[in-house]
Amino acid sequence: MYKKKFFCLSLPYILETTALKRIFKVNTDIFIRTLCLIFTFSYFTAKSAESGDLVLASNTILFQLTLLLAYGVDGFAFAAESLVGKFVGANKYDELRKAIKYSFIWGMGFGVLFAIVYAICNKPILLIFTDNITVIDLCRKYVIWIV
């Protein structure tokens, strides 16, 4: 069944240069952003490792808390991108403004909620990651940066 579909694809069709240039042009910014993030995360982890096991463990946990928030807020960003594209394409600018407004409100609300939870409940949250009191104490010293 799939054999016909698979063999109907030709290499020139797949490697159509005009379409590939368009894809790379659209994705250049996100590609550069991703490279910068990977470099930053790797550098941060390497420097943490140079500072010893305790610092590495603490920074890894705090970094996980940061990523948890980032992934949560990214959900609102992805939804906003979809809605903005939909409403711009349909020339529905009233709905576009509402989508932007509510995406901003929900994203900020989610961020503030996480900050409050991290500020108030940081020890129970940290206990999810480790039972090492020394690591938890070091994390709590720097959890304000996560908040």
Side-chain angles (χ1 to χ4, degrees):
M1 176 179 188
Y2 291 107
K3 193 173 185 179
K4 287 186 215 175
K5 294 184 186 292
F6 180 73
F7 287 110
C8 74
L9 295 176
S10 66
L11 196 57
Y13 177 76
I14 294 171
L15 298 177
E16 184 183 335
T17 56
T18 307
L20 283 174
K21 285 179 187 175
R22 252 191 339 235
I23 288 171
F24 285 119
K25 185 177 179 184
V26 168
N27 291 317
T28 301
D29 292 338
I30 195 76
F31 181 72
I32 292 169
R33 170 197 171 268
T34 302
L35 286 179
C36 290
L37 283 171
I38 290 169
F39 173 77
T40 303
F41 296 161
S42 300
Y43 180 80
F44 181 76
T45 302
K47 287 299 176 186
S48 296
E50 286 177 11
S51 299
D53 292 344
L54 183 63
V55 172
L56 178 61
S58 298
N59 282 346
T60 300
I61 291 170
L62 294 174
F63 185 58
Q64 292 301 313
L65 294 176
T66 303
L67 288 177
L68 184 62
L69 173 63
Y71 291 138
V73 174
D74 270 355
F76 292 107
F78 296 145
E81 289 172 9
S82 175
L83 291 171
V84 165
K86 175 183 173 181
F87 293 137
V88 167
N91 291 323
K92 295 182 176 180
Y93 295 105
D94 289 335
E95 283 88 353
L96 171 66
R97 280 187 271 287
K98 279 198 273 189
I100 292 170
K101 176 184 171 184
Y102 288 120
S103 296
F104 181 77
I105 290 170
W106 275 98
M108 287 298 293
F110 196 74
V112 169
L113 177 67
F114 260 74
I116 291 169
V117 169
Y118 286 170
I120 295 171
C121 303
N122 58 63
K123 188 168 184 176
I125 292 171
L126 294 171
L127 283 166
I128 294 170
F129 292 92
T130 184
D131 60 355
N132 186 317
I133 299 302
T134 310
V135 172
I136 290 173
D137 288 342
L138 186 58
C139 285
R140 292 187 79 196
K141 183 176 177 183
Y142 295 102
V143 80
I144 190 66
W145 292 103
I146 304 302
V147 172

